[in-house]
Amino acid sequence: AQSVTQLDSQVPVFEEAPVELRCNYSSSVSVYLFWYVQYPNQGLQLLLKYLSGSTLVESINGFEAEFNKSQTSFHLRKPSVHISDTAEYFCAVPTGGFKTIFGAGTRLFVKA
Amino acid sequence: EADIYQTPRYLVIGTGKKITLECSQTMGHDKMYWYQQDPGMELHLIHYSYGVNSTEKGDLSSESTVSRIRTEHFPLTLESARPSHTSQYLCASSEGDNLSNQPQHFGDGTRLSIL
């Protein structure tokens, strides 16, 4: 069975510090991977996606994630965070058809 | 900017009432979904639809029902609300065929509280 594990429920970090949000998955089929972000009182928004090709994918606001098949990981990183990055981040694996498996989320707190 | 709209955003209502949560999308997507979201938990799929007149139950057992009479509209109904229905409900849609792995577009959610 496919599953997604986000290893940290909360990550506090100071502004301008680097951050890594960890995601591990298990899948017996071809892997597609997403990161979504949810700001307070909003729905989820797609942050970045891995479908094929380069294992390093980037978002427009400075986040990046690297698909590591041998470690079954898709960790999200940003070299310097801003207050506005405070949000909840969800790792997700679409399984084909209708179903996407979401992790439990990591709440990122950026402190001044 | 959302292309998928949920109303109401917040609802506080008494036990036993009938509730309909509205969801509409303007992107022409065939696939639509309803999720239940509780703090610290993964999203749980409660209903999905492949297109007009197609609805299926998701992984999480739910006493709610859905309908899909028009492509753009996917309302969720609770015939008799109970306190256990208190949660946030997220509607989403995606494009592509049945074997697609396209990302989903989410509405801003309805936060439901049953007293």
Side-chain angles (χ1 to χ4, degrees):
Chain A
Q2 291 164 291
S3 65
V4 175
T5 303
Q6 291 186 242
L7 298 164
D8 307 293
S9 60
Q10 296 185 52
V11 174
V13 63
F14 285 104
E15 193 174 21
E16 298 184 6
V19 71
E20 178 180 80
L21 308 183
R22 297 179 291 169
C23 172
N24 286 93
Y25 68 91
S26 65
S27 175
S28 57
V29 298
S30 298
V31 176
Y32 303 91
L33 292 154
F34 300 148
W35 274 101
Y36 289 87
V37 58
Q38 185 178 30
Y39 298 104
N41 299 316
Q42 294 184 25
L44 280 69
Q45 304 172 31
L46 182 68
L47 185 62
L48 48 76
K49 61 184 178 183
Y50 170 77
L51 299 178
S52 63
S54 173
T55 57
L56 184 66
V57 291
E58 299 176 352
S59 72
I60 59 173
N61 58 353
F63 282 95
E64 63 179 30
E66 186 163 17
F67 169 57
N68 188 320
K69 188 175 182 179
S70 63
Q71 297 184 5
T72 61
S73 68
F74 191 55
H75 301 333
L76 182 69
R77 301 183 181 96
K78 189 170 185 179
S80 176
V81 294
H82 303 289
I83 295 287
S84 59
D85 292 325
T86 293
E88 189 150 21
Y89 293 79
F90 292 90
C91 184
V93 177
T95 63
F98 65 90
K99 189 172 180 179
T100 294
I101 299 174
F102 291 86
T106 297
R107 189 170 296 276
L108 175 65
F109 294 101
V110 181
K111 301 176 286 186
Chain B
E1 183 178 347
D3 295 321
I4 180 164
Y5 306 96
Q6 291 186 244
T7 58
R9 290 294 315 279
Y10 305 92
L11 180 60
V12 180
I13 201 166
T15 298
K17 301 292 186 181
K18 180 178 179 178
I19 300 166
T20 296
L21 307 185
E22 301 286 352
C23 176
S24 295
Q25 50 100 1
T26 60
M27 297 170 283
H29 290 166
D30 285 328
K31 291 156 75 172
M32 295 191 73
Y33 316 81
W34 276 102
Y35 291 92
Q36 192 169 328
Q37 183 184 30
D38 294 303
M41 305 286 288
E42 60 266 35
L43 275 69
H44 290 291
L45 181 69
I46 51 175
H47 296 283
Y48 64 98
S49 169
Y50 282 122
V52 171
N53 294 325
S54 154
T55 62
E56 301 287 344
K57 288 188 179 293
D59 296 330
L60 183 67
S61 175
S62 174
E63 293 163 347
S64 58
T65 59
V66 292
S67 62
R68 189 88 184 276
I69 299 173
R70 304 196 314 267
T71 297
E72 63 271 22
H73 194 213
F74 191 41
L76 180 145
T77 298
L78 282 162
E79 289 294 332
S80 179
R82 295 209 299 269
S84 60
H85 296 141
T86 294
S87 187
Q88 171 149 267
Y89 293 84
L90 293 174
C91 181
S93 70
S94 66
E95 60 183 331
D97 59 27
N98 287 351
L99 298 181
S100 169
N101 288 296
Q102 294 299 315
Q104 296 176 23
H105 299 254
F106 285 83
D108 286 337
T110 294
R111 190 169 296 279
L112 179 63
S113 294
I114 309 301
L115 304 178

